[in-house]
Amino acid sequence: VQPPEKPLQAEEWNKLREDFQLPGIFEEVMLNSMIRCNSPIDVAKSLLTHLAKRNGDIAYNVLVKYLTLCVHQGQVSEIRDMYDIMKGRFKILESGAYNLLIKGLSNSDQWRMALTLLEEVKKIMIPSRTCYESCIKAASCHQEMKLAFELYNEMLDKGVVPTLDVLQSFFYFSRGMKGAELQKELFGILLYLRENQIYPHKTFMRSIKLWFESIPGGNWKGRLTKIKDSGQCPVCNHQLEDSNLTEEEYSNLSERIIRDVIHGTDTFRKTSPKEFEAFQAFVESRLPFDIVIDGLNVSHIKSRKMQCENLFDAINCLAKENARLLVLGRKHMLTNSSNWKREIMKEMQNKADFFFAENISEDDAFLLYATLRSGKHCKFVTRDFLRDHKACLSDSLTRHLFRKWQRGHQIYKNKKMFSSVLSQQPAFRYDCVVQTTGDTWHIPYKDVFEEKYSYQVPRNWLCIQQK
């Protein structure tokens, strides 16, 4: 429906409603249309007035839609009125309404009221990311950085994951500000990026660079660069952290993963203990492998190709270096079908060891076990992120080692094919994460904005030096 351009009288609204195929949802559809077209607020208001007169009240979801329009247009007094009306009529509001109210108020001179609302939300639920971030941005915008960081730290404590957008805003609004405490908090955000292997995008990286350069009396200078293959930074000649784990780190990590992840709570949800024991015996009798392949995952690389052909291409490519390969397969691959040809399967089995699990098994535990038991040199191939397993590791040091190990050992290939994978892969000799020596910071960044986690490492770096 096309919303009217000016407020209507009751009979005009009634006429439109009668002409509508589903009169029961007319108001909702009309308000959706008004939000889409950004209709004048008085037009929407005339619909609500008409509704209130006709029904004696207005349904909750209709009020929320009207509130959405008010927030889009920054109609602060209307947002406040809506809050009073909704609080008067409903004991508790759901998170969608709170998100809107807090967002609308935090963008205005009434931003402190958004903080009061946030306190109200905390009594009934964990506030959403939107609620927290709206309040953080409002505080930062008004130069109240201490308050902004209190909210940020509280958000992290509650397990609410911040967006890159809000992390960037801290650097943007802190430009030129003094204070050791503020500096410590901002360094903390950089270490959060390191800990979670997050790569800022170009705009975010620029905010970091400008903040460093604006620190009063700091004498920091940022330059963009590409790190040499040796791991040396061409700008400051500093050697980046080695990507290899020490023997001690590796054995600690491998013990922890085998204990917490593989024998922990989540492995046998989709795998029987008996099958996993059989797999362990199979692996132990054939150790060590050079590369462990998640067969099913790799078989889906190119959708136009038969699954067995995708896997065959990968095996051929990886077997070139006389590498010992273990492929984790599924039993259904052994039944001759349109995707799994028996003769191709036989040929593959001449080039690699295969373990065929039940069709419902969870491969990640198998993949990790075989790779870790093969030793430090062994790589693994999958397009999965293995994020769940990182979450099973209880302390941040082990999680950091897991990510570091993953960066150096996961061969990730997209649809473009596995070309000369091993020559590319001992990824980098240096570790591709944010790192600091105190008077230098090295920050890898991406050219494009990507909110989601990614382990494809960037080649571009920001080098920041204190002169």
Side-chain angles (χ1 to χ4, degrees):
V1 291
Q2 199 53 36
E5 286 173 18
K6 55 183 192 359
L8 301 183
Q9 299 300 318
E11 56 273 17
E12 294 172 296
W13 281 123
N14 281 333
K15 174 84 175 74
L16 281 179
R17 190 172 189 270
E18 282 158 20
D19 293 345
F20 189 66
Q21 285 174 330
L22 301 160
I25 57 165
F26 169 74
E27 285 77 17
E28 277 187 65
V29 174
M30 178 58 81
L31 278 161
N32 279 340
S33 187
M34 287 181 184
I35 293 166
R36 214 169 38 248
C37 302
N38 202 22
S39 296
I41 213 79
D42 56 351
V43 177
K45 220 171 177 176
S46 82
L47 174 61
L48 260 61
T49 309
H50 162 63
L51 247 180
K53 282 180 183 161
R54 195 186 74 213
N55 297 350
D57 68 357
I58 301 168
Y60 180 84
N61 52 350
V62 173
L63 288 173
V64 170
K65 287 187 190 304
Y66 176 68
L67 178 60
T68 306
L69 187 64
C70 296
V71 171
H72 278 340
Q73 299 185 5
Q75 304 271 356
V76 183
S77 61
E78 283 296 316
I79 295 169
R80 289 198 64 159
D81 289 350
M82 287 305 293
Y83 173 66
D84 294 340
I85 290 167
M86 292 172 94
K87 278 306 282 181
R89 281 197 44 205
F90 309 101
K91 264 205 177 91
I92 301 179
L93 308 181
E94 43 70 64
S95 62
Y98 277 120
N99 283 350
L100 284 166
L101 289 163
I102 288 175
K103 192 177 170 188
L105 292 166
S106 63
N107 282 333
S108 73
D109 55 357
Q110 308 274 315
W111 66 277
R112 286 194 184 276
M113 193 179 163
L115 298 174
T116 313
L117 274 186
L118 184 69
E119 290 307 312
E120 196 176 296
V121 176
K122 284 185 215 169
K123 289 175 190 158
I124 47 176
M125 60 179 111
I126 291 180
S128 70
R129 174 155 79 177
T130 308
C131 287
Y132 269 119
E133 296 201 343
S134 299
C135 291
I136 288 171
K137 281 188 178 169
S140 306
C141 188
H142 292 86
Q143 304 283 287
E144 299 222 9
M145 300 313 294
K146 188 168 180 289
L147 170 61
F149 274 110
E150 276 168 16
L151 291 169
Y152 166 71
N153 289 316
E154 181 186 298
M155 176 184 181
L156 291 183
D157 289 343
K158 290 198 160 86
V160 182
V161 179
T163 58
L164 294 190
D165 184 42
V166 85
L167 297 179
Q168 182 189 341
S169 72
F170 279 113
F171 290 92
Y172 178 80
F173 288 115
S174 301
R175 233 177 268 181
M177 289 174 81
K178 268 194 172 125
E181 193 52 42
L182 175 69
Q183 244 182 75
K184 192 174 145 213
E185 290 282 13
L186 287 156
F187 287 164
I189 291 181
L190 295 175
L191 295 174
Y192 173 85
L193 298 180
R194 172 190 171 89
E195 178 69 37
N196 293 283
Q197 197 188 326
I198 295 166
Y199 302 123
H201 47 85
K202 227 180 212 166
T203 327
F204 185 178
M205 175 277 294
R206 283 200 193 103
S207 292
I208 296 170
K209 179 179 183 290
L210 291 170
W211 170 70
F212 267 103
E213 292 174 343
S214 78
I215 298 172
N219 293 327
W220 291 94
K221 178 78 185 127
R223 303 256 305 274
L224 307 187
T225 187
K226 282 185 168 40
I227 303 295
K228 295 175 184 168
D229 288 344
S230 64
Q232 193 184 42
C233 169
V235 176
C236 65
N237 297 322
H238 178 73
Q239 188 67 30
L240 294 195
E241 291 171 34
D242 195 322
S243 63
N244 282 324
L245 271 58
T246 64
E247 291 298 338
E248 191 186 354
E249 285 175 333
Y250 181 78
S251 72
N252 286 345
L253 178 70
S254 119
E255 271 170 36
R256 284 294 300 277
I257 291 181
I258 288 173
R259 190 186 79 206
D260 295 0
V261 177
I262 294 171
H263 294 314
T265 49
D266 74 339
T267 313
F268 300 122
R269 256 186 272 159
K270 297 179 187 160
T271 281
S272 72
K274 198 172 161 195
E275 180 178 49
F276 198 73
E277 277 164 28
F279 174 68
Q280 283 175 297
F282 173 89
V283 168
E284 297 299 326
S285 67
R286 290 169 171 77
L287 282 173
F289 297 102
D290 298 315
I291 303 174
V292 182
I293 301 167
D294 180 344
L296 199 60
N297 183 289
V298 167
S299 73
H300 289 287
I301 277 190
K302 288 187 176 175
S303 50
R304 292 205 185 100
K305 268 190 159 176
M306 258 193 293
Q307 286 173 25
C308 62
E309 283 182 339
N310 279 327
L311 185 55
F312 192 43
D313 288 347
I315 287 173
N316 275 339
C317 172
L318 294 164
K320 275 181 193 152
E321 321 267 332
N322 293 326
R324 292 204 55 225
L325 310 181
L326 167 62
V327 180
L328 302 175
R330 292 283 206 281
K331 287 191 172 158
H332 73 257
M333 295 175 177
L334 292 167
T335 50
N336 205 15
S337 66
S338 58
N339 260 315
W340 298 99
K341 296 286 175 232
R342 191 162 285 147
E343 59 279 13
I344 298 181
M345 286 303 293
K346 273 202 175 121
E347 213 175 320
M348 283 196 263
Q349 283 166 280
N350 292 331
K351 298 187 178 210
D353 280 299
F354 270 75
F355 182 85
F356 295 99
E358 289 298 335
N359 293 333
I360 52 163
S361 297
E362 178 59 83
D363 320 36
D364 289 357
F366 289 72
L367 190 75
L368 289 171
Y369 182 83
T371 310
L372 288 163
R373 285 293 294 128
S374 292
K376 262 176 83 171
H377 73 289
C378 185
K379 305 263 189 279
F380 63 96
V381 185
T382 179
R383 297 185 304 159
D384 281 349
F385 290 137
L386 308 183
R387 290 171 93 172
D388 298 350
H389 302 300
K390 176 181 163 238
C392 295
L393 298 166
S394 51
D395 65 290
S396 64
L397 178 66
T398 314
R399 283 198 295 271
H400 173 70
L401 288 179
F402 178 69
R403 277 283 174 246
K404 187 171 178 175
W405 173 76
Q406 185 181 1
R407 284 192 292 276
H409 291 77
Q410 180 160 4
I411 298 175
Y412 169 86
K413 270 305 181 202
N414 55 17
K415 295 184 174 66
K416 286 181 187 142
M417 212 39 231
F418 276 79
S419 59
S420 65
V421 139
L422 282 182
S423 54
Q424 274 175 272
Q425 198 51 29
F428 298 112
R429 284 165 56 182
Y430 55 90
D431 197 10
C432 199
V433 279
V434 172
Q435 40 194 279
T436 180
T437 60
D439 58 357
T440 67
W441 281 85
H442 287 89
I443 298 165
Y445 68 92
K446 297 213 152 181
D447 281 335
V448 288
F449 170 78
E450 271 177 10
E451 187 63 68
K452 67 178 191 305
Y453 168 82
S454 164
Y455 50 49
Q456 288 183 288
V457 292
R459 301 303 309 254
N460 299 319
W461 288 72
L462 168 65
C463 163
I464 302 169
Q465 255 182 305
Q466 197 167 28
K467 292 282 190 257

